[in-house]
PDB file of all heavy atoms in Angstrom:
ATOM      1  N   SER O   7      67.771 110.722  71.075  1.00 97.00           N
ATOM      2  CA  SER O   7      66.743 111.682  70.673  1.00 97.00           C
ATOM      3  C   SER O   7      67.417 113.011  70.346  1.00 97.00           C
ATOM      4  O   SER O   7      68.594 113.225  70.669  1.00 97.00           O
ATOM      5  CB  SER O   7      65.719 111.887  71.792  1.00 97.00           C
ATOM      6  OG  SER O   7      66.338 112.406  72.951  1.00 97.00           O
ATOM      7  N   GLY O   8      66.662 113.883  69.675  1.00 98.00           N
ATOM      8  CA  GLY O   8      67.166 115.217  69.395  1.00 98.00           C
ATOM      9  C   GLY O   8      67.591 115.460  67.969  1.00 98.00           C
ATOM     10  O   GLY O   8      67.949 116.582  67.612  1.00 98.00           O
ATOM     11  N   GLY O   9      67.596 114.427  67.147  1.00 97.00           N
ATOM     12  CA  GLY O   9      67.961 114.622  65.767  1.00 97.00           C
ATOM     13  C   GLY O   9      66.905 115.391  64.995  1.00 97.00           C
ATOM     14  O   GLY O   9      65.798 115.620  65.503  1.00 97.00           O
ATOM     15  N   GLY O  10      67.251 115.800  63.792  1.00 97.00           N
ATOM     16  CA  GLY O  10      66.284 116.536  63.000  1.00 97.00           C
ATOM     17  C   GLY O  10      66.951 117.274  61.871  1.00 97.00           C
ATOM     18  O   GLY O  10      68.115 117.019  61.509  1.00 97.00           O
ATOM     19  N   PHE O  11      66.213 118.227  61.313  1.00 98.00           N
ATOM     20  CA  PHE O  11      66.678 119.021  60.183  1.00 98.00           C
ATOM     21  C   PHE O  11      67.091 120.401  60.700  1.00 98.00           C
ATOM     22  O   PHE O  11      66.359 121.029  61.456  1.00 98.00           O
ATOM     23  CB  PHE O  11      65.555 119.141  59.152  1.00 98.00           C
ATOM     24  CG  PHE O  11      65.957 119.882  57.922  1.00 98.00           C
ATOM     25  CD1 PHE O  11      66.421 119.212  56.796  1.00 98.00           C
ATOM     26  CD2 PHE O  11      65.865 121.273  57.842  1.00 98.00           C
ATOM     27  CE1 PHE O  11      66.791 119.879  55.662  1.00 98.00           C
ATOM     28  CE2 PHE O  11      66.220 121.949  56.718  1.00 98.00           C
ATOM     29  CZ  PHE O  11      66.685 121.272  55.618  1.00 98.00           C
ATOM     30  N   VAL O  12      68.262 120.854  60.234  1.00 98.00           N
ATOM     31  CA  VAL O  12      68.743 122.169  60.645  1.00 98.00           C
ATOM     32  C   VAL O  12      69.507 122.793  59.511  1.00 98.00           C
ATOM     33  O   VAL O  12      70.114 122.084  58.709  1.00 98.00           O
ATOM     34  CB  VAL O  12      69.606 122.047  61.931  1.00 98.00           C
ATOM     35  CG1 VAL O  12      70.866 121.226  61.675  1.00 98.00           C
ATOM     36  CG2 VAL O  12      69.938 123.419  62.502  1.00 98.00           C
ATOM     37  N   GLN O  13      69.472 124.109  59.450  1.00 98.00           N
ATOM     38  CA  GLN O  13      70.235 124.834  58.401  1.00 98.00           C
ATOM     39  C   GLN O  13      71.675 124.934  58.813  1.00 98.00           C
ATOM     40  O   GLN O  13      72.031 124.896  60.005  1.00 98.00           O
ATOM     41  CB  GLN O  13      69.631 126.186  58.179  1.00 98.00           C
ATOM     42  CG  GLN O  13      68.243 126.158  57.573  1.00 98.00           C
ATOM     43  CD  GLN O  13      67.724 127.547  57.209  1.00 98.00           C
ATOM     44  OE1 GLN O  13      68.147 128.536  57.776  1.00 98.00           O
ATOM     45  NE2 GLN O  13      66.818 127.599  56.235  1.00 98.00           N
ATOM     46  N   PRO O  14      72.584 125.114  57.835  1.00 98.00           N
ATOM     47  CA  PRO O  14      74.004 125.312  58.166  1.00 98.00           C
ATOM     48  C   PRO O  14      74.168 126.472  59.138  1.00 98.00           C
ATOM     49  O   PRO O  14      73.498 127.517  58.997  1.00 98.00           O
ATOM     50  CB  PRO O  14      74.606 125.614  56.802  1.00 98.00           C
ATOM     51  CG  PRO O  14      73.719 124.908  55.815  1.00 98.00           C
ATOM     52  CD  PRO O  14      72.349 125.039  56.379  1.00 98.00           C
ATOM     53  N   GLY O  15      75.047 126.283  60.092  1.00 98.00           N
ATOM     54  CA  GLY O  15      75.260 127.289  61.133  1.00 98.00           C
ATOM     55  C   GLY O  15      74.375 127.100  62.348  1.00 98.00           C
ATOM     56  O   GLY O  15      74.586 127.764  63.385  1.00 98.00           O
ATOM     57  N   GLY O  16      73.401 126.219  62.247  1.00 98.00           N
ATOM     58  CA  GLY O  16      72.495 125.989  63.340  1.00 98.00           C
ATOM     59  C   GLY O  16      73.045 125.060  64.401  1.00 98.00           C
ATOM     60  O   GLY O  16      74.202 124.601  64.313  1.00 98.00           O
ATOM     61  N   SER O  17      72.204 124.778  65.402  1.00 98.00           N
ATOM     62  CA  SER O  17      72.593 123.942  66.537  1.00 98.00           C
ATOM     63  C   SER O  17      71.550 122.878  66.801  1.00 98.00           C
ATOM     64  O   SER O  17      70.364 123.043  66.485  1.00 98.00           O
ATOM     65  CB  SER O  17      72.741 124.780  67.806  1.00 98.00           C
ATOM     66  OG  SER O  17      73.716 125.788  67.652  1.00 98.00           O
ATOM     67  N   LEU O  18      72.005 121.767  67.338  1.00 98.00           N
ATOM     68  CA  LEU O  18      71.153 120.700  67.817  1.00 98.00           C
ATOM     69  C   LEU O  18      71.790 120.092  69.051  1.00 98.00           C
ATOM     70  O   LEU O  18      73.003 120.115  69.191  1.00 98.00           O
ATOM     71  CB  LEU O  18      70.966 119.600  66.763  1.00 98.00           C
ATOM     72  CG  LEU O  18      70.005 119.815  65.606  1.00 98.00           C
ATOM     73  CD1 LEU O  18      70.073 118.646  64.655  1.00 98.00           C
ATOM     74  CD2 LEU O  18      68.573 120.009  66.103  1.00 98.00           C
ATOM     75  N   ARG O  19      70.934 119.531  69.908  1.00 98.00           N
ATOM     76  CA  ARG O  19      71.441 118.817  71.069  1.00 98.00           C
ATOM     77  C   ARG O  19      70.866 117.394  71.046  1.00 98.00           C
ATOM     78  O   ARG O  19      69.654 117.197  71.055  1.00 98.00           O
ATOM     79  CB  ARG O  19      71.033 119.517  72.355  1.00 98.00           C
ATOM     80  CG  ARG O  19      71.673 118.882  73.616  1.00 98.00           C
ATOM     81  CD  ARG O  19      71.283 119.653  74.873  1.00 98.00           C
ATOM     82  NE  ARG O  19      71.976 119.132  76.053  1.00 98.00           N
ATOM     83  CZ  ARG O  19      73.137 119.599  76.468  1.00 98.00           C
ATOM     84  NH1 ARG O  19      73.762 120.572  75.814  1.00 98.00           N
ATOM     85  NH2 ARG O  19      73.701 119.093  77.562  1.00 98.00           N
ATOM     86  N   LEU O  20      71.760 116.416  70.977  1.00 98.00           N
ATOM     87  CA  LEU O  20      71.384 115.019  71.016  1.00 98.00           C
ATOM     88  C   LEU O  20      71.488 114.502  72.438  1.00 98.00           C
ATOM     89  O   LEU O  20      72.370 114.892  73.186  1.00 98.00           O
ATOM     90  CB  LEU O  20      72.277 114.203  70.110  1.00 98.00           C
ATOM     91  CG  LEU O  20      72.399 114.637  68.648  1.00 98.00           C
ATOM     92  CD1 LEU O  20      73.272 113.648  67.889  1.00 98.00           C
ATOM     93  CD2 LEU O  20      71.055 114.754  67.997  1.00 98.00           C
ATOM     94  N   SER O  21      70.553 113.615  72.789  1.00 98.00           N
ATOM     95  CA  SER O  21      70.566 112.985  74.091  1.00 98.00           C
ATOM     96  C   SER O  21      70.440 111.470  73.936  1.00 98.00           C
ATOM     97  O   SER O  21      69.850 111.002  72.978  1.00 98.00           O
ATOM     98  CB  SER O  21      69.423 113.504  74.956  1.00 98.00           C
ATOM     99  OG  SER O  21      69.562 114.868  75.228  1.00 98.00           O
ATOM    100  N   CYS O  22      71.028 110.762  74.871  1.00 98.00           N
ATOM    101  CA  CYS O  22      70.967 109.292  74.859  1.00 98.00           C
ATOM    102  C   CYS O  22      70.745 108.826  76.295  1.00 98.00           C
ATOM    103  O   CYS O  22      71.476 109.227  77.201  1.00 98.00           O
ATOM    104  CB  CYS O  22      72.249 108.715  74.308  1.00 98.00           C
ATOM    105  SG  CYS O  22      72.343 106.907  74.374  1.00 98.00           S
ATOM    106  N   VAL O  23      69.737 108.003  76.479  1.00 97.00           N
ATOM    107  CA  VAL O  23      69.407 107.463  77.789  1.00 97.00           C
ATOM    108  C   VAL O  23      69.678 105.969  77.778  1.00 97.00           C
ATOM    109  O   VAL O  23      69.221 105.255  76.870  1.00 97.00           O
ATOM    110  CB  VAL O  23      67.940 107.710  78.154  1.00 97.00           C
ATOM    111  CG1 VAL O  23      67.637 107.124  79.527  1.00 97.00           C
ATOM    112  CG2 VAL O  23      67.635 109.213  78.160  1.00 97.00           C
ATOM    113  N   VAL O  24      70.399 105.489  78.777  1.00 96.00           N
ATOM    114  CA  VAL O  24      70.695 104.044  78.917  1.00 96.00           C
ATOM    115  C   VAL O  24      69.781 103.491  80.019  1.00 96.00           C
ATOM    116  O   VAL O  24      69.753 104.006  81.137  1.00 96.00           O
ATOM    117  CB  VAL O  24      72.154 103.800  79.288  1.00 96.00           C
ATOM    118  CG1 VAL O  24      72.446 102.313  79.362  1.00 96.00           C
ATOM    119  CG2 VAL O  24      73.078 104.482  78.293  1.00 96.00           C
ATOM    120  N   SER O  25      69.053 102.444  79.693  1.00 93.00           N
ATOM    121  CA  SER O  25      68.182 101.829  80.684  1.00 93.00           C
ATOM    122  C   SER O  25      68.420 100.327  80.726  1.00 93.00           C
ATOM    123  O   SER O  25      68.999  99.751  79.800  1.00 93.00           O
ATOM    124  CB  SER O  25      66.706 102.108  80.348  1.00 93.00           C
ATOM    125  OG  SER O  25      66.379 101.551  79.084  1.00 93.00           O
ATOM    126  N   GLY O  26      67.940  99.700  81.819  1.00 91.00           N
ATOM    127  CA  GLY O  26      68.107  98.269  81.956  1.00 91.00           C
ATOM    128  C   GLY O  26      69.114  97.905  83.017  1.00 91.00           C
ATOM    129  O   GLY O  26      69.662  98.754  83.717  1.00 91.00           O
ATOM    130  N   SER O  27      69.428  96.631  83.073  1.00 82.00           N
ATOM    131  CA  SER O  27      70.331  96.112  84.075  1.00 82.00           C
ATOM    132  C   SER O  27      71.779  96.333  83.632  1.00 82.00           C
ATOM    133  O   SER O  27      72.325  95.570  82.864  1.00 82.00           O
ATOM    134  CB  SER O  27      70.101  94.619  84.294  1.00 82.00           C
ATOM    135  OG  SER O  27      68.776  94.382  84.737  1.00 82.00           O
ATOM    136  N   ILE O  28      72.339  97.387  84.160  1.00 81.00           N
ATOM    137  CA  ILE O  28      73.707  97.726  83.800  1.00 81.00           C
ATOM    138  C   ILE O  28      74.417  98.241  85.049  1.00 81.00           C
ATOM    139  O   ILE O  28      73.834  99.005  85.803  1.00 81.00           O
ATOM    140  CB  ILE O  28      73.731  98.753  82.643  1.00 81.00           C
ATOM    141  CG1 ILE O  28      75.082  98.874  82.003  1.00 81.00           C
ATOM    142  CG2 ILE O  28      73.216 100.101  83.083  1.00 81.00           C
ATOM    143  CD1 ILE O  28      75.057  99.540  80.655  1.00 81.00           C
ATOM    144  N   PHE O  29      75.640  97.814  85.256  1.00 80.00           N
ATOM    145  CA  PHE O  29      76.327  98.193  86.448  1.00 80.00           C
ATOM    146  C   PHE O  29      77.122  99.487  86.244  1.00 80.00           C
ATOM    147  O   PHE O  29      76.640 100.565  86.487  1.00 80.00           O
ATOM    148  CB  PHE O  29      77.239  97.061  86.940  1.00 80.00           C
ATOM    149  CG  PHE O  29      76.462  95.880  87.404  1.00 80.00           C
ATOM    150  CD1 PHE O  29      76.392  94.719  86.665  1.00 80.00           C
ATOM    151  CD2 PHE O  29      75.767  95.928  88.609  1.00 80.00           C
ATOM    152  CE1 PHE O  29      75.662  93.642  87.099  1.00 80.00           C
ATOM    153  CE2 PHE O  29      75.029  94.852  89.050  1.00 80.00           C
ATOM    154  CZ  PHE O  29      74.971  93.703  88.292  1.00 80.00           C
ATOM    155  N   ILE O  30      78.329  99.362  85.775  1.00 92.00           N
ATOM    156  CA  ILE O  30      79.156 100.539  85.609  1.00 92.00           C
ATOM    157  C   ILE O  30      79.400 100.757  84.125  1.00 92.00           C
ATOM    158  O   ILE O  30      79.849  99.874  83.407  1.00 92.00           O
ATOM    159  CB  ILE O  30      80.501 100.393  86.325  1.00 92.00           C
ATOM    160  CG1 ILE O  30      80.273 100.260  87.834  1.00 92.00           C
ATOM    161  CG2 ILE O  30      81.402 101.601  86.034  1.00 92.00           C
ATOM    162  CD1 ILE O  30      81.537 100.002  88.613  1.00 92.00           C
ATOM    163  N   ILE O  31      79.105 101.981  83.670  1.00 94.00           N
ATOM    164  CA  ILE O  31      79.422 102.375  82.312  1.00 94.00           C
ATOM    165  C   ILE O  31      80.748 103.121  82.336  1.00 94.00           C
ATOM    166  O   ILE O  31      80.887 104.091  83.057  1.00 94.00           O
ATOM    167  CB  ILE O  31      78.340 103.271  81.700  1.00 94.00           C
ATOM    168  CG1 ILE O  31      76.995 102.544  81.688  1.00 94.00           C
ATOM    169  CG2 ILE O  31      78.721 103.691  80.290  1.00 94.00           C
ATOM    170  CD1 ILE O  31      75.826 103.417  81.232  1.00 94.00           C
ATOM    171  N   TYR O  32      81.688 102.645  81.587  1.00 96.00           N
ATOM    172  CA  TYR O  32      82.984 103.331  81.516  1.00 96.00           C
ATOM    173  C   TYR O  32      82.895 104.451  80.505  1.00 96.00           C
ATOM    174  O   TYR O  32      82.360 105.503  80.778  1.00 96.00           O
ATOM    175  CB  TYR O  32      84.081 102.320  81.240  1.00 96.00           C
ATOM    176  CG  TYR O  32      84.268 101.359  82.396  1.00 96.00           C
ATOM    177  CD1 TYR O  32      83.769 100.050  82.337  1.00 96.00           C
ATOM    178  CD2 TYR O  32      84.881 101.780  83.572  1.00 96.00           C
ATOM    179  CE1 TYR O  32      83.909  99.198  83.418  1.00 96.00           C
ATOM    180  CE2 TYR O  32      85.005 100.922  84.656  1.00 96.00           C
ATOM    181  CZ  TYR O  32      84.524  99.631  84.573  1.00 96.00           C
ATOM    182  OH  TYR O  32      84.628  98.781  85.638  1.00 96.00           O
ATOM    183  N   ASN O  33      83.361 104.223  79.306  1.00 97.00           N
ATOM    184  CA  ASN O  33      83.255 105.274  78.291  1.00 97.00           C
ATOM    185  C   ASN O  33      81.835 105.345  77.722  1.00 97.00           C
ATOM    186  O   ASN O  33      81.151 104.333  77.590  1.00 97.00           O
ATOM    187  CB  ASN O  33      84.243 105.021  77.154  1.00 97.00           C
ATOM    188  CG  ASN O  33      85.657 105.328  77.535  1.00 97.00           C
ATOM    189  OD1 ASN O  33      85.947 105.551  78.733  1.00 97.00           O
ATOM    190  ND2 ASN O  33      86.550 105.316  76.569  1.00 97.00           N
ATOM    191  N   MET O  34      81.423 106.558  77.356  1.00 97.00           N
ATOM    192  CA  MET O  34      80.213 106.770  76.588  1.00 97.00           C
ATOM    193  C   MET O  34      80.621 107.556  75.352  1.00 97.00           C
ATOM    194  O   MET O  34      81.398 108.527  75.443  1.00 97.00           O
ATOM    195  CB  MET O  34      79.163 107.509  77.404  1.00 97.00           C
ATOM    196  CG  MET O  34      78.725 106.770  78.646  1.00 97.00           C
ATOM    197  SD  MET O  34      77.323 107.524  79.490  1.00 97.00           S
ATOM    198  CE  MET O  34      75.964 106.862  78.533  1.00 97.00           C
ATOM    199  N   ASP O  35      80.128 107.122  74.210  1.00 98.00           N
ATOM    200  CA  ASP O  35      80.611 107.686  72.954  1.00 98.00           C
ATOM    201  C   ASP O  35      79.447 108.119  72.075  1.00 98.00           C
ATOM    202  O   ASP O  35      78.339 107.611  72.194  1.00 98.00           O
ATOM    203  CB  ASP O  35      81.403 106.650  72.152  1.00 98.00           C
ATOM    204  CG  ASP O  35      82.403 105.875  72.975  1.00 98.00           C
ATOM    205  OD1 ASP O  35      83.150 106.510  73.734  1.00 98.00           O
ATOM    206  OD2 ASP O  35      82.419 104.635  72.868  1.00 98.00           O
ATOM    207  N   TRP O  36      79.736 109.025  71.163  1.00 98.00           N
ATOM    208  CA  TRP O  36      78.863 109.330  70.046  1.00 98.00           C
ATOM    209  C   TRP O  36      79.633 108.998  68.772  1.00 98.00           C
ATOM    210  O   TRP O  36      80.759 109.447  68.576  1.00 98.00           O
ATOM    211  CB  TRP O  36      78.455 110.781  70.014  1.00 98.00           C
ATOM    212  CG  TRP O  36      77.388 111.123  71.023  1.00 98.00           C
ATOM    213  CD1 TRP O  36      77.561 111.657  72.265  1.00 98.00           C
ATOM    214  CD2 TRP O  36      75.976 110.916  70.869  1.00 98.00           C
ATOM    215  NE1 TRP O  36      76.356 111.798  72.899  1.00 98.00           N
ATOM    216  CE2 TRP O  36      75.366 111.363  72.061  1.00 98.00           C
ATOM    217  CE3 TRP O  36      75.173 110.406  69.848  1.00 98.00           C
ATOM    218  CZ2 TRP O  36      73.985 111.328  72.237  1.00 98.00           C
ATOM    219  CZ3 TRP O  36      73.807 110.374  70.027  1.00 98.00           C
ATOM    220  CH2 TRP O  36      73.235 110.813  71.201  1.00 98.00           C
TER     221      TRP O  36
END
């Protein structure tokens, strides 16, 4: 979530939520 339209020089914050049966997450990437 967090995507959208922004003008040059602006800022955005993206977020990602992991749900479900998962034990250990090692690396997380964008």
Side-chain angles (χ1 to χ4, degrees):
S7 62
F11 183 93
V12 63
Q13 292 186 336
S17 299
L18 281 176
R19 187 178 185 90
L20 305 183
S21 295
C22 175
V23 179
V24 183
S25 61
S27 299
I28 194 164
F29 293 107
I30 297 175
I31 300 174
Y32 294 103
N33 286 10
M34 299 187 82
D35 315 312
W36 283 98

